[in-house]
């Protein structure tokens, strides 16, 4: 479900490990404000929106200048479910 959040028009890159074990960079749009719990949202190309902590956002923001050392995280379940639906 899409929300009325506003997203920065410039994507950030996130490194995820797919269920197959392949590590891939994903472009995401990030919400432009923190919510009341201090989180932001990442919108993937398939439309999935995933909540991220403020700390994770700052880590990603700093890592954009050094993508080689960006730590890979598992692909979020919301993204996988949305991919399988298409």
């Amino acid at each position: 479900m899409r929300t009325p959040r506003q997203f920065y028009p410039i994507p950030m890159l996130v490194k995820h490990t797919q269920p197959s074990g392949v590590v891939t960079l994903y472009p995401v749009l990030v919400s432009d404000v923190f919510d009341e719990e201090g989180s932001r949202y990442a919108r993937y190309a398939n439309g999935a929106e995933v909540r991220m902590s403020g700390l994770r956002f700052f880590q990603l923001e700093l890592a954009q200048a050094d993508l080689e050392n960006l730590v890979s995280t598992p692909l979020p379940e919301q993204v996988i479910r949305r991919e399988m639906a298409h």
Side-chain angles (χ1 to χ4, degrees):
M1 182 168 104
R2 293 229 172 183
T3 60
R5 292 182 192 86
Q6 297 294 316
F7 288 82
Y8 285 118
I10 300 169
M12 294 176 88
L13 293 174
V14 180
K15 191 184 287 186
H16 288 304
T17 305
Q18 298 177 5
S20 65
V22 176
V23 175
T24 306
L25 287 174
Y26 287 83
V28 297
L29 297 178
V30 178
S31 60
D32 63 352
V33 295
F34 289 99
D35 66 11
E36 60 278 350
E37 296 175 16
S39 300
R40 290 202 182 199
Y41 290 81
R43 182 181 290 162
Y44 288 75
N46 68 3
E49 291 184 7
V50 178
R51 175 183 243 159
M52 73 170 76
S53 69
L55 176 60
R56 178 69 176 147
F57 167 74
F58 289 125
Q59 289 170 337
L60 284 175
E61 192 171 46
L62 293 172
Q64 297 305 293
D66 190 17
L67 291 173
E68 187 175 303
N69 291 319
L70 181 61
V71 175
S72 179
T73 59
L75 190 61
E77 193 65 36
Q78 300 95 310
V79 178
I80 296 170
R81 278 197 309 265
R82 191 142 175 123
E83 283 294 318
M84 296 186 82
H86 289 79

